[in-house]
Amino acid sequence: MKIIKRIALTVVAIIIVVIVGILAIFSYRNANYYKLVKTDKPLEAQYTALGPYKVSYQEFDSENEAFKKNEIWYPSEIKESASALPLVIMANGTGITASKYKAVFKHLASWGFIVVGNEDENSRTGASSSASLNFMLSLNEDNTSDFYGKIDVDNIGIGGHSQGGVGTINAVTMQDNGSYFKAMYTASTTSSFWGQENQLGTDWSYDVSKVNIPYFMVAGTGSFDAGTAEDITATDVSKVNIPYFMVAGTGSFDAGTAEDITATEGQGITPLWSLQKNYAEIPDTVTKIMARRVNTDHGDMLTHADGYMTAWFMYWLKGDTQAGDVFFGDDAELLANENWQDVMRSQ
């Protein structure tokens, strides 16, 4: 009996060690994703790495209980800086509030940005991003704040992933202070299919034809992002030619309100048709770029496209001409990068 107990205790101890080890690995990968992301070109590698600034953090309770708090990452030398710094607001994806992707905020702040998020789980309307922007503008006017006069109000950007992509578009186009934004970025924006009344509901909808600032949109080619549908009405799964095991949850994002389950078969979160449709609907007078990252799926787009998000904001908000070489000109790095495909540019 004692031997059996010893064996059982040993097995339990081994299981605990394995679990702790796995958790430690995941924790390391999340905190150090910028060391692990595969890059193909020099500028992608440069802007995927941490920037030159040490980063500090502050948080403030939000007046809105749903938003919980405003979380701010910024260069530690901000008090000694003689110049104001550009600001970037980040809109949360579903289930991924700011406190769950701290490393992304830290990364962008290390490049000389003040980066702000919150704990809103329903970012799609743009209301929480608008509120965070207003809060930061108030700190910029508060002479007791570390951010007093430190925000460059002429260089404010916004970005978001998944539901946060919807929130980004709506913050720019629907919120009263949307005109403050100078440039925008979205990764794997939930497609307009899901914003239909018989799907997740019209509060997931957006109108990119109202966008009037430079816009860089990306998504992955993985199945969760891309799906198999070729347009908003398609339900084509006939192209699948490998063993296919389908599962789904009963939550609102999976289930929606559609009565006919076949109405959503093949629709990914950000299929190619959706990117192309959004791109086409943005006025041609606006600088717009779209691209898909190869062999990358929805959940990884937040981190795997981070280098080029950083370059986008470096160019538009800090005037970094080298960062512009990623996107513009006949020899733009993005065009020759094997990590990316389906690139379209307006200018």
Side-chain angles (χ1 to χ4, degrees):
M1 196 69 178
K2 291 182 178 179
I3 294 175
I4 294 175
K5 286 183 178 180
R6 289 197 195 99
I7 293 174
L9 289 172
T10 300
V11 170
V12 170
I14 291 172
I15 292 172
I16 292 173
V17 169
V18 170
I19 291 173
V20 170
I22 292 173
L23 291 175
I25 290 171
F26 276 115
S27 177
Y28 176 84
R29 289 179 63 88
N30 288 336
N32 297 275
Y33 70 89
Y34 46 83
K35 298 179 181 178
L36 305 173
V37 170
K38 176 188 174 183
T39 59
D40 181 61
K41 295 294 181 182
L43 293 178
E44 184 181 35
Q46 177 178 323
Y47 293 109
T48 296
L50 279 181
Y53 295 93
K54 291 183 179 180
V55 176
S56 294
Y57 171 80
Q58 292 187 43
E59 64 179 52
F60 300 85
D61 290 337
S62 172
E63 294 179 354
N64 187 310
E65 290 185 6
F67 308 160
K68 295 182 181 177
K69 56 186 176 180
N70 289 291
E71 296 143 289
I72 311 169
W73 287 258
Y74 58 96
S76 300
E77 62 184 52
I78 193 169
K79 288 184 179 180
E80 292 74 37
S81 175
S83 58
L85 300 176
L87 171 69
V88 176
I89 306 292
M90 295 293 288
N92 300 325
T94 301
I96 307 295
T97 57
S99 60
K100 295 180 180 178
Y101 61 113
K102 298 177 181 179
V104 173
F105 288 84
K106 177 184 176 182
H107 175 270
L108 190 54
S110 76
W111 283 95
F113 298 90
I114 300 169
V115 193
V116 183
N118 54 56
E119 293 298 295
D120 183 23
E121 296 182 354
N122 297 285
S123 66
R124 56 191 175 273
T125 66
S128 60
S129 294
S130 174
S132 288
L133 173 57
N134 280 339
F135 178 74
M136 294 306 299
L137 293 174
S138 71
L139 290 185
N140 197 48
E141 300 295 326
D142 181 357
N143 61 13
T144 67
S145 165
D146 289 342
F147 302 96
Y148 176 58
K150 299 299 184 181
I151 298 173
D152 182 353
V153 297
D154 293 324
N155 286 291
I156 299 176
I158 184 169
H161 169 253
S162 192
Q163 180 185 173
V166 178
T168 294
I169 296 167
N170 286 332
V172 170
T173 62
M174 299 295 290
Q175 296 297 324
D176 291 341
N177 56 4
S179 59
Y180 273 97
F181 295 114
K182 183 179 179 180
M184 60 189 290
Y185 162 87
T186 61
S188 301
T189 300
T190 309
S191 85
S192 56
F193 173 88
W194 301 104
Q196 298 178 102
E197 187 172 354
N198 67 336
Q199 297 301 325
L200 297 182
T202 55
D203 60 331
W204 286 78
S205 65
Y206 49 85
D207 184 358
V208 292
S209 71
K210 296 179 180 178
V211 170
N212 60 2
I213 58 175
Y215 185 4
F216 179 35
M217 65 182 80
V218 300
T221 63
S223 60
F224 200 48
D225 245 6
T228 59
E230 295 181 356
D231 59 52
I232 197 169
T233 61
T235 59
D236 182 12
V237 292
S238 64
K239 296 180 180 180
V240 176
N241 59 5
I242 58 174
Y244 186 10
F245 175 43
M246 294 184 289
V247 297
T250 59
S252 62
F253 194 85
D254 262 6
T257 56
E259 295 180 1
D260 180 5
I261 188 64
T262 62
T264 61
E265 286 181 0
Q267 288 290 349
I269 295 179
T270 318
L272 179 58
W273 72 257
S274 176
L275 273 180
Q276 292 172 332
K277 178 176 181 289
N278 287 350
Y279 180 90
E281 291 182 356
I282 298 169
D284 290 336
T285 54
V286 175
T287 299
K288 53 183 178 178
I289 299 177
M290 63 159 271
R292 293 203 299 168
R293 181 159 171 119
V294 177
N295 299 323
T296 307
D297 216 335
H298 187 76
D300 288 329
M301 284 303 298
L302 182 61
T303 53
H304 285 48
D306 191 32
Y308 279 170
M309 177 189 76
T310 300
W312 184 252
F313 287 134
M314 287 291 288
Y315 177 77
W316 287 108
L317 305 183
K318 299 193 76 175
D320 181 350
T321 56
Q322 184 182 52
D325 291 340
V326 171
F327 310 103
F328 307 113
D330 294 338
D331 297 321
E333 183 178 278
L334 181 61
L335 299 176
N337 191 323
E338 292 187 1
N339 285 334
W340 296 87
Q341 67 179 47
D342 303 310
V343 178
M344 295 181 69
R345 306 181 301 165
S346 63
Q347 49 187 287

